[in-house]
Amino acid sequence: MTKDQPLQGLLQVQVHVEDLLHNPAQLICAGFHEPEADAIWTHDLPDLQPAQFSSPGMLIGTSWGSGAECCLTKIHDLETDKRELIGVFGKTGAGKSSLINAILGEEDLLPTGEITACTSVMIKVEANIRNSKYEADIEFIEPEDWRDEMWSMLEFHGNSRDQEQEDDKDGDDDDDNNGYDYGDNDDSNDYNEPGDDEKLSALYGEEWRDKTPENLIENKYFREIPEFLQSKKKTLTCESANELSAELIKYTRSEGEEITRCFWPLVKCVTVKVPNNDLLQHVTLVDLPGNGDRNKSRDKMWKEIVGDCSTVWIVTNINRAAAEKEAWEILTNTCSLMGNGGQCQQIHFICTHSDRIARSKDHSPAEVRGRILQRNEEAKKKVEENFSKQKQINKHFSDDCFKVFTVSSTEFLEEKHLNPEDTEIPQLQEFLMDLNDCHSVTLNYVSGAHGILSLMHGANSTEGVGNKAEVCRDLEENMKRELSKVRKPMEEAYDKFEKRLKAGVQKSKTSCDITLKSILKPRGVSGSAFHKTLKSLVETGGIYKPKKKKEININMKLASYLTNSIDEEFRKTFPNDVKRGPISRVIDTFSLDTDELTQKYKDVGLQLNFLKTEEEKNRSKHNKIIRERKKTIYNSLTGKIQKIMQDCYRKAAEFRGKGSLKKMRNTIAEHVQVSKDKMFEEAKAAMLKLLNDLKEEILKTLQETLEESTELSLKTDDNSIPDVPTELEMVRRYYDELKDNPDGETSQLE
């Protein structure tokens, strides 16, 4: 059996289970199903759909006892799927859509060509497991969010009474702008973000110019998309990729042939569902804007997705790969979200159009290929050298996380000068195949099933009754020893962070004046231009996304000395490859020595086997907890400062009229001066508390989960649990074969 085929061997279990149709055990075994192959367990069993048994509460009225209900709960807790998220960044024209289409073998899936992309729309591409159609689920922003966004756009479009020309005589041309562009003009468009006029005109034509937001939210404007007003998703269903691509243009693009109205300003996310594609079985590709969004709901989703990506693809044209500003700015601006604040393990820098090279008619095909491959190697070397110089990025990612690809979607399809391997599209396909390798998930699933069936069979055995108390005592001693091992690295990590944060607090206090000056009096920006930016900052909690520029975050800047003080240690303690971290390593070695105890107490071997599988489940569970919780811990420094700054933002936002810029600046500066002695200490305390909470939670759940499992397997006398010796033997054979074949190649069980 190949590693990407369903677990056909488990069909053998069902044959034996069918004899138990009128037995409660049948209901348990009906819950066993291979990931993505629920039909296996419903064949010839129309009245026993696994979805019916979503909780133990569904068993009321049956003859089951508490032990059987616990078994069912554990069955439903078995992990049946893993999903990897790959974020795809790149400016318009970089070739993202062509790349995705070529990799997936769907040439017409995503629109490509000269159509101007609306980069505020996130596009997910994943498998369609519902049917064999090409589908797209369109998620809109909330009507209230759109109304608020329109008020903001129309206010800035006109001449607000607050935006008088103020002389900024206090400005200092020697100040550092922190990499921000504080002006809010429309002259540059580094991120291809549509402007306000473009958004409003796309949706309303020119009608918006003499209307209020209240007028523009009327039902007549949304007759084609009633789902928007109803806060529902709109689903498009098509027979072909080409048909779906044409339908999507008005929801994802700024222009298109015969498109009179576009709805992309209202779209938060589009999820494209592709049928019958093995590369998407456990992978979702997400075409992402290179920057956040001024719309709060889109920006929140963007940050969540970026933080959840396990791999990021930065797509750029090979001719400017090493020096292109936008590609490296995307990495710099998102590295903290993806790195210490996220779970990204790999960055792939993908140089597109690798076939485009100066050539002469006199060059033979072999010479053209040689020139292309030589140029590609030179490009890779330059990009790698540039990455090693990126200090901010390197705080979050080491060189072994970074890989460069030189690809050509055109040559992959046409093979004029390069063979498929030369285009490196197959290498990216292989990468996706490796992510889709469900062998580990399958093994974990079957291991869990094996453990539960061992428990059920063992519960019906009278052997080993006299040894159970002694076994429990041994397990208790082993538990104390192992919990102590887990506690040690967590306490060591706490001490290290406390020491580094103490230094960060001191640096934050002494550098506060310089930090504030760089924020409130940016170099080379006039008072009237900065007035609008600062006004927006105080109205939105110190975070503002200017048109066509990267986000400005006062809170993050104030917290920067704190985050800088821990970045290196945080990456070592909580690497995004969680199994490399000291805490995860000790959790992965956590063991109650069930194998050794099984040799000593053979009569309760089935119960101990159940405990062993529970240990394995715990490892996976706690690694997930660490991966998610580390994001909250890292972001708590900025989050706490943002909370402390809210009062001064509210006060500053109330100022109107002449002199309001100066008043806003003074309000913020005075608040920071008064609060700085406590603010940075409180941020430090907030992070340390979360670290301690993580330690306590892991120790508590490890202990309680295994104590409950011990109680169920060795201390509970429950005759209601049905016996399943035949099913246990079938699953055991399959489990042993999976264990012995880590590459996933197994035979069909007979």
Side-chain angles (χ1 to χ4, degrees), residues 227-499:
E227 297 88 351
F228 166 67
L229 294 176
Q230 298 164 0
S231 297
K232 294 180 179 178
K233 289 183 181 179
K234 183 179 183 69
T235 299
L236 305 176
T237 302
C238 300
E239 295 293 332
S240 69
N242 187 52
E243 183 185 350
L244 181 63
S245 180
E247 288 284 327
L248 279 176
I249 288 176
K250 68 175 71 173
Y251 299 99
T252 61
R253 298 274 163 159
S254 299
E255 300 173 8
E257 294 180 6
E258 302 178 0
I259 299 295
T260 56
R261 289 191 70 201
C262 297
F263 301 116
W264 54 261
L266 306 176
V267 176
K268 182 193 292 187
C269 181
V270 173
T271 302
V272 176
K273 297 180 180 292
V274 183
N276 308 318
N277 196 302
D278 291 341
L279 293 178
L280 296 174
Q281 188 178 12
H282 298 286
V283 170
T284 296
L285 299 173
V286 191
D287 185 347
L288 287 162
N291 210 9
D293 195 279
R294 287 191 296 153
N295 177 275
K296 289 182 180 179
S297 61
R298 269 196 296 258
D299 191 63
K300 183 174 183 289
M301 176 180 274
W302 180 85
K303 288 177 178 175
E304 287 173 352
I305 290 175
V306 172
D308 288 342
C309 288
S310 62
T311 301
V312 164
W313 290 354
I314 305 295
V315 183
T316 188
N317 192 304
I318 193 168
N319 290 327
R320 302 183 299 275
E324 186 171 89
K325 176 183 175 183
E326 291 87 349
W328 294 102
E329 280 191 351
I330 287 170
L331 266 180
T332 301
N333 297 341
T334 59
C335 62
S336 63
L337 276 175
M338 300 185 307
N340 285 342
Q343 59 189 60
C344 179
Q345 298 178 34
Q346 299 185 68
I347 298 172
H348 292 167
F349 203 95
I350 301 177
C351 307
T352 57
H353 308 308
S354 68
D355 59 307
R356 298 181 184 179
I357 191 170
R359 65 190 71 170
S360 167
K361 292 181 180 179
D362 296 331
H363 290 142
S364 68
E367 288 174 324
V368 171
R369 177 177 180 270
R371 286 166 59 83
I372 291 173
L373 295 181
Q374 181 181 353
R375 191 277 313 273
N376 291 353
E377 287 304 311
E378 291 171 356
K380 284 184 180 183
K381 185 177 180 180
K382 289 179 181 178
V383 170
E384 288 166 352
E385 288 174 351
N386 200 18
F387 178 80
S388 66
K389 298 175 184 176
Q390 305 297 318
K391 293 181 179 180
Q392 184 63 28
I393 299 170
N394 294 152
K395 289 180 182 179
H396 299 267
F397 297 98
S398 58
D399 288 346
D400 61 353
C401 298
F402 187 76
K403 188 172 182 180
V404 186
F405 294 85
T406 53
V407 306
S408 171
S409 303
T410 302
E411 282 291 322
F412 178 70
L413 297 172
E414 298 177 2
E415 297 187 45
K416 288 184 177 179
H417 299 100
L418 301 176
N419 61 49
E421 288 297 321
D422 293 335
T423 70
E424 300 197 356
I425 297 287
Q427 285 90 315
L428 290 170
Q429 290 175 324
E430 184 178 353
F431 172 75
L432 293 185
M433 284 300 294
D434 289 341
L435 288 182
N436 277 292
D437 178 12
C438 59
H439 181 266
S440 60
V441 175
T442 301
L443 179 58
N444 289 340
Y445 181 85
V446 177
S447 170
H450 184 223
I452 295 168
L453 290 173
S454 296
L455 169 65
M456 293 169 66
H457 187 48
N460 286 271
S461 172
T462 58
E463 296 180 357
V465 174
N467 292 328
K468 287 185 178 181
E470 189 176 344
V471 176
C472 289
R473 284 195 295 272
D474 286 352
L475 288 170
E476 266 183 51
E477 290 300 315
N478 293 348
M479 174 87 74
K480 291 177 184 177
R481 180 195 69 224
E482 294 300 298
L483 289 175
S484 177
K485 289 182 182 178
V486 173
R487 182 180 288 106
K488 183 179 178 182
M490 300 194 78
E491 290 178 346
E492 289 174 349
Y494 183 97
D495 292 341
K496 289 177 181 177
F497 283 120
E498 185 175 36
K499 179 180 179 181

Side-chain angles (χ1 to χ4, degrees), residues 475 591-599 608 611-612 615:
L475 288 170
S591 174
L592 298 180
D593 289 339
T594 51
D595 286 339
E596 183 178 323
L597 291 175
T598 299
Q599 296 300 315
L608 290 170
L611 286 177
K612 181 179 179 180
E615 287 178 3

Side-chain angles (χ1 to χ4, degrees), residues 591-631:
S591 174
L592 298 180
D593 289 339
T594 51
D595 286 339
E596 183 178 323
L597 291 175
T598 299
Q599 296 300 315
K600 184 177 179 182
Y601 305 104
K602 290 184 171 60
D603 292 341
V604 289
L606 288 170
Q607 291 89 334
L608 290 170
N609 181 63
F610 167 69
L611 286 177
K612 181 179 179 180
T613 61
E614 289 295 287
E615 287 178 3
E616 293 167 356
K617 281 172 56 180
N618 262 326
R619 294 183 192 114
S620 176
K621 173 184 175 181
H622 285 90
N623 280 333
K624 284 184 178 179
I625 290 174
I626 291 171
R627 185 169 60 238
E628 289 302 318
R629 201 62 56 80
K630 56 97 75 170
K631 303 177 193 176

Side-chain angles (χ1 to χ4, degrees), residues 143 169 209 344 500 561 588 626 644:
K169 296 179 181 178
R209 296 187 183 277
C344 179
R500 282 159 177 75
Y561 288 107
D588 282 343
I626 291 171
I644 293 170

